[in-house]
Amino acid sequence: MLLVFGALVAAIYVFKKPDLRAPELRERHGRLALGGEWVNTKNAIQGLLAKLRQDPTDQKSRLLLAQAYMQEGRVTGDHPYYDAAAVQLLDDVLAAEPDNFEALACKASISLTQHHFSQGLALAQQAQEINPNSGFVYGLLTDANVELGRYDDAIKTADRMNQVRPDLGAYARVSYLREIRGDVPGAIQAMDMAVKAGLDGLEQTEWTRVALGHLYEVSGDLPSAAACYQHALADRPGYAYALAGLGRVAAAHHDYATAIQNFRQARAEVKDYAFTDELVDLYRQNKQPAEANKMAQESIDMLASAAQQANDNEALGHYADRELAYAYLKTNALDKALAHAQIEYKRRPDNIDVNETLAWVYYKRGAYAEAAKYMQVARRTGSQNPVLLARAGLILLKTGQAAEGHTLLEKSLKTAPYLNPEVSAEGEKLLAQR
């Protein structure tokens, strides 16, 4: 009897199905829970979960579920939950199939979303070795190279992406590379091609249309920017990033009440610290200092939590030190701003945006020679972004290069003074003192 019992226990252990480890789908709220898209998303994900409960070794369904969660993170802004869920699923796939190209590419994409750029680059390179003919993987390589400041490499991988498969993602990357090299008209042209390559109403398409609108903002064409945001809202009602775009247009026309309303609505739809951060400036412009201070602290709390998670887990968690540096500047916490700017600089010393951040922190601290050193690197691609030009102009004035400083300030203020009211106000004050 003991022998028979032992055999039965062994049989149960050998033949039982593996435990299913699959994170569940979270409910959407507000406008995101309305319409057929959410119904279709829920049905698709529940179907994949059912397949995995039936066969926990179904790696294809596990991969599709990970991809669905990645998209849900984009739509809802709940990246902490969905990115972690997707990584868990992808790690399970890779444990069973170490050379699964799609799983490696997806994990690289999540690493880039979480600002783990070196890790994302390594994973994308590993995926490229398996499949060197994938346009998607060249997009990942482009993004990683851009964020690490390897702009020549980024151009090569973007060109390769457009050769392999010219589509929305390929055109959008060309647009960004043109923008940071100072070719804003060319960037607008490429982003318009990206929009036309997508299907109206899809999140990816409307994200791209909003990016096109922002390029119009940067170029000083507010009517075209507003048209893009209104189009995105018509195709995707309640789209948070289009609401935010219209909020910026309203603020540019000094209609701060409307701008605040738009950003509050966007913030209610999607979890994105950027909406809270922009509300700090809007409340200050609308003479509501108590609300501005509340938003400033909330922004810091959100970012600090994300940064701590990333520090606790090197494999996952959103690095947010560059964003924290700016958030601390808004509360005049200059030591903390410098500490976080330096942390980000150690990760990405060649990235122009990181150098701009460090330059601006040093400027705020009165260390103008240090600011000039990092601003020189920030301008090395020839970007004509008006905020960058204004900051560079202010630093030049403080380091005795008045002629060039005045030229940059005048160009910035003529193009788009509304992009950063604080910087523009300081520039106008100094120009008036000539």
Side-chain angles (χ1 to χ4, degrees), residues 15-29:
F15 294 108
K16 73 173 183 177
K17 290 182 178 179
D19 291 334
L20 173 63
R21 297 191 314 133
E24 293 293 328
L25 177 68
R26 287 182 167 180
E27 284 292 329
R28 291 187 188 177
H29 302 284

Side-chain angles (χ1 to χ4, degrees), residues 31 200-202 206 209-210 226-239 242-243 246:
R31 283 181 174 270
D200 289 352
L202 290 182
E206 302 317 320
R209 199 185 309 277
V210 167
C228 286
Y229 302 140
Q230 289 163 349
H231 191 160
L233 278 175
D235 287 346
R236 194 173 179 85
Y239 188 47
L243 286 168
L246 287 175

Side-chain angles (χ1 to χ4, degrees), residues 81-226:
Y81 178 77
Y82 283 113
D83 286 356
V87 166
Q88 176 185 320
L89 293 163
L90 294 170
D91 283 345
D92 287 346
V93 173
L94 290 169
E97 302 173 5
D99 292 330
N100 187 302
F101 167 77
E102 289 182 277
L104 285 169
C106 287
K107 192 170 181 182
S109 179
I110 293 174
S111 293
L112 297 177
T113 299
Q114 296 283 327
H115 291 190
H116 292 243
F117 300 118
S118 294
Q119 177 181 319
L121 177 62
L123 286 166
Q125 289 171 335
Q126 189 178 346
Q128 182 199 21
E129 290 178 3
I130 296 169
N131 182 1
N133 297 312
S134 165
F136 180 68
V137 80
Y138 285 109
L140 297 174
L141 290 169
T142 300
D143 295 341
N145 282 320
V146 162
E147 297 297 347
L148 293 171
R150 302 171 183 176
Y151 300 108
D152 290 340
D153 289 338
I155 290 172
K156 292 176 184 176
T157 51
D159 284 345
R160 180 61 179 149
M161 184 182 187
N162 277 272
Q163 292 169 3
V164 172
R165 185 175 179 177
D167 59 6
L168 181 152
Y171 298 139
R173 287 169 172 89
V174 168
S175 174
Y176 179 73
L177 289 168
R178 288 179 176 177
E179 180 189 0
I180 64 172
R181 290 191 173 274
D183 182 9
V184 177
I188 289 172
Q189 178 191 41
M191 195 65 77
D192 184 59
M193 292 172 66
V195 171
K196 291 173 180 175
L199 293 174
D200 289 352
L202 290 182
E203 190 273 338
Q204 293 91 333
T205 305
E206 302 317 320
W207 173 276
T208 307
R209 199 185 309 277
V210 167
L212 175 60
H214 187 61
L215 283 171
Y216 281 124
E217 277 188 71
V218 169
S219 71
D221 186 352
L222 286 175
S224 294

Side-chain angles (χ1 to χ4, degrees), residues 241-306:
Y241 297 98
L243 286 168
L246 287 175
R248 288 193 300 273
V249 172
H253 291 111
H254 307 291
D255 183 0
Y256 302 122
T258 298
I260 289 169
Q261 180 182 355
N262 277 27
F263 272 96
R264 286 176 62 88
Q265 187 177 343
R267 188 167 171 263
E269 293 291 330
V270 171
K271 297 178 180 180
D272 192 325
Y273 90 92
F275 299 148
T276 305
D277 181 67
E278 293 198 62
L279 277 168
V280 177
D281 298 327
L282 290 171
Y283 278 125
R284 285 177 178 168
Q285 290 169 289
N286 204 41
K287 312 301 182 184
Q288 295 176 262
E291 287 298 321
N293 293 337
K294 179 183 175 183
M295 289 295 102
Q297 189 57 53
E298 189 170 327
S299 181
I300 288 171
D301 291 343
M302 292 170 67
L303 291 167
S305 175

